[in-house]
Amino acid sequence: MPKLTVIIPTFNEQAFLEDALFSVSFADEIIVVDSFSTDKTPEIAKKYATKFLQRKFDNFSNQKNFALKEATGDWILFVDADERVTHSLEAEIKETLQNPKHSGYKINFPHFYMNRFLYHHSDDVLRLVKREGAKFSGSVHEKLQCEGRIGKLKNKMLHFTYKGFDNYISKKESYAWFQAQQQFDKGKKTTWFHLLFKPTYRFFRSFILKGGFRDGVPGMTVAAVNAYGVFERYVKLMLLQRGMK
């Protein structure tokens, strides 16, 4: 079977990292790329990782591309510290790599919030790719690219992304700055359309089109916070335009 490398980026993930590392222990190589954590993340990582790297964080793509250059596997699986590979997903990955029909595979991520998995608030994300030709682009919500056709695995990756409401809001605000800076660098500007329509549509898409209403109050909360994140992005873009960062 082709060799598999798992890459995990970290920053102060001591509460989550060990379980993530344990869930990918089947891999031939595990690389942790750390942004100089100040907690016990390095200590935990070194117990499990084949390679422990540290790099000053500038953006998500550069961090992962840095680790990608250090990988020796034929295939790469990208996993975050708050994600878990289930036994069924592990078995499917092993079976798929014995006779791969595509150059990359998307995996579905149901998000965990308010003590339940939101199966109607999930994303299909490209995470398993051939190393050759793979790279990331974009500074936030980075996009993984690979050469060739892309398929999808059936089993899901568990994602414990929301560590409480305050953390969720803080995460959205942090991402908003990255996204606003990215759009500002491209010369884009905020309009009333962005401030009024875009957040409203994000809520509608998350809660209605994607079926978030089936997840009850947690689904409505996630839809509302996502809409807030969009609003924050364009407010921050407006501040950048006015030189008020």
Side-chain angles (χ1 to χ4, degrees):
M1 188 177 77
K3 184 177 178 181
L4 175 66
T5 296
V6 170
I7 292 177
I8 303 178
T10 59
F11 178 69
N12 289 349
E13 294 285 0
Q14 66 177 21
F16 290 86
L17 180 59
E18 190 157 18
D19 287 342
L21 289 165
F22 183 78
S23 78
V24 298
S25 58
F26 64 93
D28 300 288
E29 180 179 58
I30 300 174
I31 298 177
V32 173
V33 53
D34 182 66
S35 304
F36 292 99
S37 294
T38 57
D39 63 2
K40 294 182 179 180
T41 293
E43 178 183 332
I44 295 169
K46 290 174 183 178
K47 290 195 302 182
Y48 298 89
T50 311
K51 295 180 181 179
F52 176 73
L53 311 173
Q54 286 190 304
R55 179 183 184 276
K56 184 178 179 181
F57 182 86
D58 50 2
N59 65 58
F60 295 99
S61 288
N62 289 343
Q63 202 75 353
K64 292 179 181 179
N65 285 332
F66 172 75
L68 191 54
K69 292 178 181 178
E70 297 290 327
T72 62
D74 304 291
W75 286 77
I76 311 294
L77 175 65
F78 293 92
V79 178
D80 288 341
D82 57 3
E83 296 169 352
R84 308 288 179 265
V85 175
T86 64
H87 292 301
S88 56
L89 179 58
E90 174 187 339
E92 185 179 10
I93 289 172
K94 290 178 178 178
E95 182 180 355
T96 298
L97 295 189
Q98 287 179 357
N99 185 27
K101 296 180 173 59
H102 303 281
S103 297
Y105 291 87
K106 291 184 177 182
I107 301 174
N108 185 259
F109 289 74
H111 302 298
F112 186 82
Y113 187 61
M114 295 177 71
N115 296 318
R116 64 187 289 187
F117 284 102
L118 309 184
Y119 289 101
H120 297 94
H121 184 82
S122 62
D123 302 295
D124 294 329
V125 186
L126 181 61
R127 287 296 190 86
L128 178 65
V129 295
K130 285 185 177 179
R131 176 170 59 88
E132 187 175 353
K135 66 177 181 179
F136 279 91
S137 62
S139 59
V140 66
H141 292 310
E142 63 283 5
K143 185 177 180 180
L144 176 58
Q145 300 169 323
C146 72
E147 297 176 352
R149 295 185 303 169
I150 297 173
K152 181 183 173 182
L153 299 183
K154 295 178 181 178
N155 289 284
K156 301 178 185 299
M157 178 97 74
L158 302 184
H159 190 192
F160 297 89
T161 184
Y162 309 130
K163 308 173 183 70
F165 187 77
D166 290 344
N167 176 269
Y168 191 13
I169 291 292
S170 176
K171 191 173 184 179
K172 286 294 180 182
E173 290 180 343
S174 176
Y175 280 177
W177 274 121
F178 278 108
Q179 292 169 325
Q181 186 66 57
Q182 194 173 31
Q183 292 184 326
F184 179 75
D185 292 341
K186 293 179 180 179
K188 295 186 177 181
K189 297 182 178 181
T190 298
T191 66
W192 285 108
F193 171 82
H194 294 121
L195 290 173
L196 298 177
F197 178 78
K198 289 279 191 175
T200 303
Y201 179 74
R202 177 59 62 89
F203 179 88
F204 177 77
R205 179 175 179 271
S206 180
F207 193 60
I208 303 298
L209 297 183
K210 295 184 70 172
F213 63 90
R214 297 178 185 176
D215 291 317
V217 173
M220 181 178 67
T221 303
V222 168
V225 175
N226 283 343
Y228 167 76
V230 173
F231 179 77
E232 276 289 294
R233 180 200 315 167
Y234 289 109
V235 168
K236 292 179 187 334
L237 177 57
M238 181 182 292
L239 293 175
L240 288 172
Q241 291 167 198
R242 298 179 179 181
M244 298 173 62
K245 181 175 180 181

Short mmCIF file of all heavy atoms in Angstrom, two decimals, residues 56-111:
data_model
loop_
_atom_site.label_atom_id
_atom_site.label_comp_id
_atom_site.label_asym_id
_atom_site.label_seq_id
_atom_site.Cartn_x
_atom_site.Cartn_y
_atom_site.Cartn_z
N LYS A 56 6.91 30.27 12.51
CA LYS A 56 6.13 31.44 12.86
C LYS A 56 4.94 31.57 11.92
O LYS A 56 5.09 31.53 10.70
CB LYS A 56 6.98 32.71 12.80
CG LYS A 56 6.23 33.96 13.26
CD LYS A 56 7.13 35.18 13.22
CE LYS A 56 6.37 36.43 13.66
NZ LYS A 56 7.23 37.64 13.61
N PHE A 57 3.75 31.72 12.47
CA PHE A 57 2.54 31.75 11.65
C PHE A 57 2.40 33.06 10.90
O PHE A 57 2.56 34.14 11.47
CB PHE A 57 1.31 31.56 12.55
CG PHE A 57 0.00 31.53 11.80
CD1 PHE A 57 -0.46 30.35 11.26
CD2 PHE A 57 -0.74 32.69 11.62
CE1 PHE A 57 -1.66 30.31 10.57
CE2 PHE A 57 -1.93 32.67 10.92
CZ PHE A 57 -2.40 31.48 10.39
N ASP A 58 2.14 32.95 9.59
CA ASP A 58 1.78 34.13 8.81
C ASP A 58 0.41 33.94 8.14
O ASP A 58 -0.42 34.82 8.17
CB ASP A 58 2.85 34.49 7.78
CG ASP A 58 3.26 33.30 6.93
OD1 ASP A 58 2.70 32.19 7.09
OD2 ASP A 58 4.16 33.46 6.08
N ASN A 59 0.19 32.76 7.58
CA ASN A 59 -1.15 32.42 7.12
C ASN A 59 -1.27 30.90 7.04
O ASN A 59 -0.28 30.17 7.11
CB ASN A 59 -1.50 33.09 5.78
CG ASN A 59 -0.64 32.63 4.64
OD1 ASN A 59 -0.58 31.44 4.32
ND2 ASN A 59 0.06 33.58 4.01
N PHE A 60 -2.49 30.43 6.87
CA PHE A 60 -2.76 29.00 6.95
C PHE A 60 -2.14 28.23 5.78
O PHE A 60 -1.63 27.12 5.97
CB PHE A 60 -4.28 28.76 6.99
CG PHE A 60 -4.93 29.30 8.22
CD1 PHE A 60 -5.58 30.53 8.21
CD2 PHE A 60 -4.88 28.60 9.42
CE1 PHE A 60 -6.18 31.03 9.35
CE2 PHE A 60 -5.47 29.10 10.57
CZ PHE A 60 -6.12 30.33 10.54
N SER A 61 -2.19 28.79 4.59
CA SER A 61 -1.63 28.10 3.43
C SER A 61 -0.12 27.89 3.56
O SER A 61 0.40 26.79 3.32
CB SER A 61 -1.94 28.88 2.15
OG SER A 61 -3.30 28.77 1.81
N ASN A 62 0.60 28.95 3.92
CA ASN A 62 2.04 28.84 4.04
C ASN A 62 2.45 27.83 5.12
O ASN A 62 3.45 27.11 4.97
CB ASN A 62 2.66 30.20 4.35
CG ASN A 62 2.60 31.15 3.17
OD1 ASN A 62 2.40 30.72 2.04
ND2 ASN A 62 2.79 32.43 3.42
N GLN A 63 1.67 27.80 6.19
CA GLN A 63 1.98 26.87 7.28
C GLN A 63 1.88 25.42 6.80
O GLN A 63 2.76 24.59 7.06
CB GLN A 63 1.01 27.12 8.45
CG GLN A 63 1.51 26.64 9.80
CD GLN A 63 2.59 27.54 10.37
OE1 GLN A 63 3.07 28.46 9.73
NE2 GLN A 63 2.98 27.28 11.59
N LYS A 64 0.81 25.13 6.08
CA LYS A 64 0.59 23.75 5.62
C LYS A 64 1.52 23.40 4.46
O LYS A 64 1.98 22.26 4.35
CB LYS A 64 -0.87 23.56 5.24
CG LYS A 64 -1.80 23.63 6.45
CD LYS A 64 -3.25 23.45 6.07
CE LYS A 64 -4.14 23.55 7.30
NZ LYS A 64 -5.59 23.41 6.96
N ASN A 65 1.78 24.35 3.58
CA ASN A 65 2.72 24.09 2.48
C ASN A 65 4.12 23.82 3.00
O ASN A 65 4.88 23.03 2.42
CB ASN A 65 2.73 25.27 1.51
CG ASN A 65 1.49 25.32 0.64
OD1 ASN A 65 0.86 24.30 0.36
ND2 ASN A 65 1.11 26.53 0.22
N PHE A 66 4.49 24.48 4.09
CA PHE A 66 5.79 24.25 4.73
C PHE A 66 5.91 22.79 5.19
O PHE A 66 6.92 22.12 4.95
CB PHE A 66 5.96 25.20 5.91
CG PHE A 66 7.16 24.93 6.76
CD1 PHE A 66 8.43 25.27 6.33
CD2 PHE A 66 7.03 24.32 8.01
CE1 PHE A 66 9.55 25.03 7.13
CE2 PHE A 66 8.14 24.08 8.81
CZ PHE A 66 9.40 24.42 8.35
N ALA A 67 4.85 22.30 5.84
CA ALA A 67 4.86 20.91 6.30
C ALA A 67 4.80 19.94 5.13
O ALA A 67 5.41 18.87 5.16
CB ALA A 67 3.68 20.68 7.23
N LEU A 68 4.07 20.33 4.09
CA LEU A 68 3.93 19.48 2.90
C LEU A 68 5.29 19.19 2.27
O LEU A 68 5.55 18.07 1.77
CB LEU A 68 3.00 20.16 1.90
CG LEU A 68 2.50 19.37 0.70
CD1 LEU A 68 1.83 18.07 1.13
CD2 LEU A 68 1.53 20.21 -0.11
N LYS A 69 6.19 20.16 2.29
CA LYS A 69 7.53 19.97 1.72
C LYS A 69 8.36 18.97 2.52
O LYS A 69 9.33 18.41 2.00
CB LYS A 69 8.25 21.31 1.64
CG LYS A 69 7.66 22.29 0.64
CD LYS A 69 8.39 23.62 0.66
CE LYS A 69 7.77 24.60 -0.34
NZ LYS A 69 8.45 25.93 -0.31
N GLU A 70 7.98 18.78 3.79
CA GLU A 70 8.72 17.86 4.65
C GLU A 70 8.16 16.44 4.60
O GLU A 70 8.74 15.51 5.15
CB GLU A 70 8.68 18.35 6.10
CG GLU A 70 9.34 19.70 6.33
CD GLU A 70 10.85 19.61 6.17
OE1 GLU A 70 11.42 18.55 6.51
OE2 GLU A 70 11.46 20.59 5.71
N ALA A 71 7.01 16.27 3.96
CA ALA A 71 6.34 14.97 3.92
C ALA A 71 7.03 14.02 2.95
O ALA A 71 7.52 14.43 1.90
CB ALA A 71 4.88 15.15 3.53
N THR A 72 7.03 12.74 3.29
CA THR A 72 7.63 11.72 2.44
C THR A 72 6.60 10.72 1.92
O THR A 72 6.94 9.85 1.12
CB THR A 72 8.73 10.96 3.19
OG1 THR A 72 8.16 10.29 4.32
CG2 THR A 72 9.83 11.91 3.66
N GLY A 73 5.36 10.81 2.38
CA GLY A 73 4.34 9.87 1.97
C GLY A 73 3.88 10.08 0.54
O GLY A 73 4.00 11.17 -0.02
N ASP A 74 3.35 9.01 -0.06
CA ASP A 74 2.78 9.12 -1.40
C ASP A 74 1.46 9.88 -1.36
O ASP A 74 1.09 10.57 -2.31
CB ASP A 74 2.53 7.72 -1.97
CG ASP A 74 3.79 6.86 -1.97
OD1 ASP A 74 4.70 7.17 -2.76
OD2 ASP A 74 3.86 5.90 -1.17
N TRP A 75 0.75 9.73 -0.24
CA TRP A 75 -0.52 10.40 -0.02
C TRP A 75 -0.46 11.21 1.26
O TRP A 75 0.25 10.85 2.21
CB TRP A 75 -1.67 9.39 0.08
CG TRP A 75 -2.04 8.79 -1.24
CD1 TRP A 75 -1.38 7.82 -1.93
CD2 TRP A 75 -3.18 9.16 -2.04
NE1 TRP A 75 -2.02 7.55 -3.11
CE2 TRP A 75 -3.13 8.36 -3.20
CE3 TRP A 75 -4.22 10.07 -1.89
CZ2 TRP A 75 -4.10 8.44 -4.20
CZ3 TRP A 75 -5.18 10.16 -2.88
CH2 TRP A 75 -5.12 9.36 -4.03
N ILE A 76 -1.22 12.31 1.29
CA ILE A 76 -1.24 13.20 2.45
C ILE A 76 -2.68 13.34 2.95
O ILE A 76 -3.61 13.58 2.17
CB ILE A 76 -0.72 14.62 2.11
CG1 ILE A 76 0.61 14.54 1.35
CG2 ILE A 76 -0.58 15.44 3.39
CD1 ILE A 76 1.76 13.98 2.13
N LEU A 77 -2.85 13.18 4.26
CA LEU A 77 -4.13 13.43 4.91
C LEU A 77 -3.95 14.61 5.85
O LEU A 77 -3.10 14.56 6.75
CB LEU A 77 -4.60 12.20 5.69
CG LEU A 77 -5.88 12.38 6.52
CD1 LEU A 77 -7.09 12.63 5.62
CD2 LEU A 77 -6.13 11.16 7.41
N PHE A 78 -4.72 15.68 5.64
CA PHE A 78 -4.65 16.86 6.50
C PHE A 78 -5.73 16.77 7.58
O PHE A 78 -6.91 16.60 7.27
CB PHE A 78 -4.82 18.14 5.67
CG PHE A 78 -3.68 18.40 4.74
CD1 PHE A 78 -3.72 17.94 3.43
CD2 PHE A 78 -2.56 19.09 5.17
CE1 PHE A 78 -2.66 18.18 2.56
CE2 PHE A 78 -1.49 19.33 4.31
CZ PHE A 78 -1.54 18.87 3.01
N VAL A 79 -5.30 16.91 8.83
CA VAL A 79 -6.20 16.80 9.98
C VAL A 79 -5.91 17.95 10.93
O VAL A 79 -4.74 18.25 11.20
CB VAL A 79 -6.02 15.45 10.71
CG1 VAL A 79 -6.93 15.37 11.93
CG2 VAL A 79 -6.29 14.28 9.77
N ASP A 80 -6.96 18.59 11.45
CA ASP A 80 -6.78 19.62 12.47
C ASP A 80 -6.82 18.98 13.85
O ASP A 80 -7.33 17.87 14.03
CB ASP A 80 -7.88 20.68 12.36
CG ASP A 80 -7.69 21.57 11.15
OD1 ASP A 80 -6.58 21.62 10.60
OD2 ASP A 80 -8.68 22.23 10.73
N ALA A 81 -6.31 19.70 14.84
CA ALA A 81 -6.22 19.15 16.20
C ALA A 81 -7.58 18.87 16.81
O ALA A 81 -7.70 18.03 17.71
CB ALA A 81 -5.44 20.11 17.09
N ASP A 82 -8.63 19.55 16.35
CA ASP A 82 -9.96 19.32 16.90
C ASP A 82 -10.79 18.35 16.04
O ASP A 82 -12.01 18.31 16.15
CB ASP A 82 -10.71 20.64 17.08
CG ASP A 82 -10.84 21.45 15.81
OD1 ASP A 82 -10.38 20.97 14.74
OD2 ASP A 82 -11.39 22.56 15.85
N GLU A 83 -10.10 17.56 15.21
CA GLU A 83 -10.77 16.59 14.35
C GLU A 83 -10.33 15.17 14.72
O GLU A 83 -9.24 14.97 15.25
CB GLU A 83 -10.47 16.88 12.88
CG GLU A 83 -11.02 18.23 12.44
CD GLU A 83 -10.51 18.66 11.08
OE1 GLU A 83 -9.61 17.99 10.52
OE2 GLU A 83 -11.00 19.68 10.57
N ARG A 84 -11.20 14.20 14.41
CA ARG A 84 -10.92 12.82 14.76
C ARG A 84 -11.22 11.90 13.58
O ARG A 84 -12.30 11.97 12.98
CB ARG A 84 -11.78 12.37 15.96
CG ARG A 84 -11.70 13.28 17.17
CD ARG A 84 -10.36 13.17 17.87
NE ARG A 84 -10.29 14.06 19.03
CZ ARG A 84 -9.76 15.28 19.01
NH1 ARG A 84 -9.27 15.76 17.88
NH2 ARG A 84 -9.72 16.02 20.08
N VAL A 85 -10.29 11.01 13.26
CA VAL A 85 -10.52 9.99 12.26
C VAL A 85 -11.16 8.79 12.95
O VAL A 85 -10.56 8.19 13.85
CB VAL A 85 -9.20 9.57 11.58
CG1 VAL A 85 -9.44 8.41 10.61
CG2 VAL A 85 -8.57 10.75 10.85
N THR A 86 -12.37 8.45 12.55
CA THR A 86 -13.06 7.30 13.15
C THR A 86 -12.46 6.00 12.61
O THR A 86 -11.75 5.99 11.61
CB THR A 86 -14.56 7.35 12.82
OG1 THR A 86 -14.72 7.21 11.40
CG2 THR A 86 -15.18 8.66 13.28
N HIS A 87 -12.79 4.89 13.27
CA HIS A 87 -12.30 3.59 12.82
C HIS A 87 -12.84 3.26 11.43
O HIS A 87 -12.13 2.67 10.60
CB HIS A 87 -12.70 2.50 13.83
CG HIS A 87 -12.00 2.62 15.15
ND1 HIS A 87 -10.62 2.58 15.26
CD2 HIS A 87 -12.48 2.77 16.41
CE1 HIS A 87 -10.27 2.71 16.55
NE2 HIS A 87 -11.39 2.83 17.26
N SER A 88 -14.09 3.63 11.17
CA SER A 88 -14.67 3.35 9.85
C SER A 88 -14.00 4.18 8.77
O SER A 88 -13.77 3.70 7.65
CB SER A 88 -16.18 3.61 9.87
OG SER A 88 -16.46 4.94 10.28
N LEU A 89 -13.66 5.43 9.06
CA LEU A 89 -12.96 6.27 8.10
C LEU A 89 -11.54 5.74 7.88
O LEU A 89 -11.04 5.71 6.75
CB LEU A 89 -12.93 7.72 8.56
CG LEU A 89 -12.19 8.71 7.65
CD1 LEU A 89 -12.79 8.71 6.24
CD2 LEU A 89 -12.23 10.12 8.24
N GLU A 90 -10.89 5.32 8.95
CA GLU A 90 -9.55 4.73 8.84
C GLU A 90 -9.57 3.53 7.89
O GLU A 90 -8.72 3.41 7.00
CB GLU A 90 -9.06 4.28 10.21
CG GLU A 90 -7.75 3.52 10.18
CD GLU A 90 -7.38 2.93 11.54
OE1 GLU A 90 -7.88 3.42 12.57
OE2 GLU A 90 -6.57 1.98 11.55
N ALA A 91 -10.56 2.64 8.07
CA ALA A 91 -10.65 1.45 7.23
C ALA A 91 -10.90 1.83 5.77
O ALA A 91 -10.33 1.23 4.85
CB ALA A 91 -11.77 0.54 7.74
N GLU A 92 -11.73 2.86 5.55
CA GLU A 92 -12.03 3.28 4.19
C GLU A 92 -10.80 3.91 3.52
O GLU A 92 -10.55 3.70 2.34
CB GLU A 92 -13.19 4.27 4.18
CG GLU A 92 -13.62 4.66 2.78
CD GLU A 92 -14.80 5.62 2.75
OE1 GLU A 92 -15.17 6.13 3.82
OE2 GLU A 92 -15.34 5.86 1.65
N ILE A 93 -10.03 4.68 4.29
CA ILE A 93 -8.81 5.29 3.74
C ILE A 93 -7.83 4.20 3.32
O ILE A 93 -7.26 4.23 2.23
CB ILE A 93 -8.17 6.24 4.77
CG1 ILE A 93 -9.03 7.49 4.95
CG2 ILE A 93 -6.75 6.62 4.34
CD1 ILE A 93 -8.57 8.40 6.08
N LYS A 94 -7.63 3.21 4.19
CA LYS A 94 -6.72 2.11 3.87
C LYS A 94 -7.17 1.37 2.62
O LYS A 94 -6.36 1.05 1.75
CB LYS A 94 -6.63 1.15 5.05
CG LYS A 94 -5.91 1.72 6.27
CD LYS A 94 -5.91 0.71 7.40
CE LYS A 94 -5.16 1.22 8.62
NZ LYS A 94 -5.21 0.25 9.74
N GLU A 95 -8.46 1.08 2.54
CA GLU A 95 -8.99 0.36 1.38
C GLU A 95 -8.86 1.20 0.11
O GLU A 95 -8.50 0.68 -0.96
CB GLU A 95 -10.46 0.01 1.62
CG GLU A 95 -11.09 -0.77 0.49
CD GLU A 95 -12.55 -1.10 0.75
OE1 GLU A 95 -13.05 -0.80 1.86
OE2 GLU A 95 -13.21 -1.65 -0.15
N THR A 96 -9.13 2.50 0.22
CA THR A 96 -9.05 3.39 -0.94
C THR A 96 -7.63 3.49 -1.48
O THR A 96 -7.42 3.47 -2.70
CB THR A 96 -9.55 4.80 -0.56
OG1 THR A 96 -10.93 4.71 -0.16
CG2 THR A 96 -9.44 5.76 -1.73
N LEU A 97 -6.66 3.58 -0.60
CA LEU A 97 -5.27 3.75 -1.03
C LEU A 97 -4.68 2.49 -1.65
O LEU A 97 -3.65 2.55 -2.33
CB LEU A 97 -4.41 4.21 0.13
CG LEU A 97 -4.74 5.60 0.70
CD1 LEU A 97 -3.67 6.04 1.68
CD2 LEU A 97 -4.88 6.63 -0.41
N GLN A 98 -5.32 1.35 -1.44
CA GLN A 98 -4.85 0.12 -2.07
C GLN A 98 -5.11 0.15 -3.58
O GLN A 98 -4.35 -0.44 -4.35
CB GLN A 98 -5.54 -1.09 -1.44
CG GLN A 98 -5.05 -1.41 -0.05
CD GLN A 98 -5.77 -2.60 0.56
OE1 GLN A 98 -6.70 -3.17 -0.04
NE2 GLN A 98 -5.37 -2.98 1.76
N ASN A 99 -6.18 0.85 -3.96
CA ASN A 99 -6.52 0.94 -5.39
C ASN A 99 -7.22 2.27 -5.66
O ASN A 99 -8.42 2.32 -5.95
CB ASN A 99 -7.42 -0.22 -5.80
CG ASN A 99 -7.70 -0.23 -7.30
OD1 ASN A 99 -6.90 0.27 -8.10
ND2 ASN A 99 -8.86 -0.77 -7.67
N PRO A 100 -6.50 3.39 -5.55
CA PRO A 100 -7.13 4.71 -5.70
C PRO A 100 -7.61 4.97 -7.12
O PRO A 100 -6.90 4.68 -8.08
CB PRO A 100 -6.00 5.68 -5.31
CG PRO A 100 -4.74 4.92 -5.57
CD PRO A 100 -5.05 3.48 -5.29
N LYS A 101 -8.80 5.52 -7.23
CA LYS A 101 -9.38 5.84 -8.54
C LYS A 101 -9.32 7.34 -8.84
O LYS A 101 -9.68 7.77 -9.92
CB LYS A 101 -10.83 5.35 -8.61
CG LYS A 101 -10.97 3.84 -8.52
CD LYS A 101 -12.43 3.43 -8.58
CE LYS A 101 -12.58 1.91 -8.66
NZ LYS A 101 -11.98 1.22 -7.51
N HIS A 102 -8.90 8.13 -7.85
CA HIS A 102 -8.83 9.57 -7.99
C HIS A 102 -7.50 10.07 -7.42
O HIS A 102 -6.78 9.33 -6.73
CB HIS A 102 -10.00 10.25 -7.28
CG HIS A 102 -11.34 9.78 -7.74
ND1 HIS A 102 -11.93 10.23 -8.90
CD2 HIS A 102 -12.20 8.89 -7.20
CE1 HIS A 102 -13.10 9.65 -9.06
NE2 HIS A 102 -13.29 8.83 -8.05
N SER A 103 -7.21 11.35 -7.67
CA SER A 103 -5.98 11.96 -7.13
C SER A 103 -6.21 12.65 -5.80
O SER A 103 -5.26 13.06 -5.13
CB SER A 103 -5.43 12.99 -8.14
OG SER A 103 -5.07 12.36 -9.34
N GLY A 104 -7.47 12.80 -5.42
CA GLY A 104 -7.82 13.42 -4.15
C GLY A 104 -9.21 13.00 -3.73
O GLY A 104 -10.03 12.61 -4.57
N TYR A 105 -9.48 13.12 -2.42
CA TYR A 105 -10.79 12.71 -1.91
C TYR A 105 -11.30 13.73 -0.89
O TYR A 105 -10.56 14.14 0.01
CB TYR A 105 -10.71 11.33 -1.24
CG TYR A 105 -10.45 10.21 -2.23
CD1 TYR A 105 -9.15 9.86 -2.59
CD2 TYR A 105 -11.51 9.53 -2.81
CE1 TYR A 105 -8.90 8.85 -3.50
CE2 TYR A 105 -11.28 8.50 -3.73
CZ TYR A 105 -9.98 8.17 -4.07
OH TYR A 105 -9.75 7.18 -4.98
N LYS A 106 -12.55 14.10 -1.06
CA LYS A 106 -13.22 14.95 -0.08
C LYS A 106 -13.76 14.09 1.06
O LYS A 106 -14.10 12.92 0.87
CB LYS A 106 -14.36 15.73 -0.74
CG LYS A 106 -13.91 16.79 -1.72
CD LYS A 106 -15.10 17.58 -2.25
CE LYS A 106 -14.64 18.71 -3.17
NZ LYS A 106 -15.78 19.52 -3.66
N ILE A 107 -13.84 14.70 2.23
CA ILE A 107 -14.39 14.04 3.41
C ILE A 107 -15.45 14.96 4.01
O ILE A 107 -15.27 16.18 4.05
CB ILE A 107 -13.29 13.74 4.45
CG1 ILE A 107 -12.20 12.85 3.84
CG2 ILE A 107 -13.88 13.08 5.69
CD1 ILE A 107 -11.01 12.63 4.75
N ASN A 108 -16.55 14.38 4.47
CA ASN A 108 -17.62 15.17 5.07
C ASN A 108 -17.34 15.40 6.56
O ASN A 108 -16.94 14.48 7.28
CB ASN A 108 -18.98 14.48 4.90
CG ASN A 108 -20.12 15.33 5.41
OD1 ASN A 108 -20.63 15.12 6.50
ND2 ASN A 108 -20.53 16.32 4.62
N PHE A 109 -17.57 16.65 7.01
CA PHE A 109 -17.30 17.05 8.40
C PHE A 109 -18.58 17.55 9.07
O PHE A 109 -18.95 18.72 8.91
CB PHE A 109 -16.27 18.17 8.44
CG PHE A 109 -14.88 17.75 8.08
CD1 PHE A 109 -14.53 17.48 6.77
CD2 PHE A 109 -13.91 17.61 9.05
CE1 PHE A 109 -13.25 17.10 6.43
CE2 PHE A 109 -12.62 17.23 8.73
CZ PHE A 109 -12.29 16.96 7.41
N PRO A 110 -19.29 16.73 9.83
CA PRO A 110 -20.39 17.26 10.64
C PRO A 110 -19.80 17.99 11.85
O PRO A 110 -18.90 17.48 12.53
CB PRO A 110 -21.16 16.01 11.07
CG PRO A 110 -20.14 14.92 11.05
CD PRO A 110 -19.16 15.27 9.96
N HIS A 111 -20.26 19.20 12.11
CA HIS A 111 -19.72 20.00 13.21
C HIS A 111 -20.38 19.64 14.53
O HIS A 111 -21.57 19.33 14.57
CB HIS A 111 -19.91 21.49 12.91
CG HIS A 111 -19.27 21.93 11.64
ND1 HIS A 111 -17.92 21.83 11.43
CD2 HIS A 111 -19.79 22.44 10.49
CE1 HIS A 111 -17.63 22.28 10.22
NE2 HIS A 111 -18.75 22.63 9.63
#
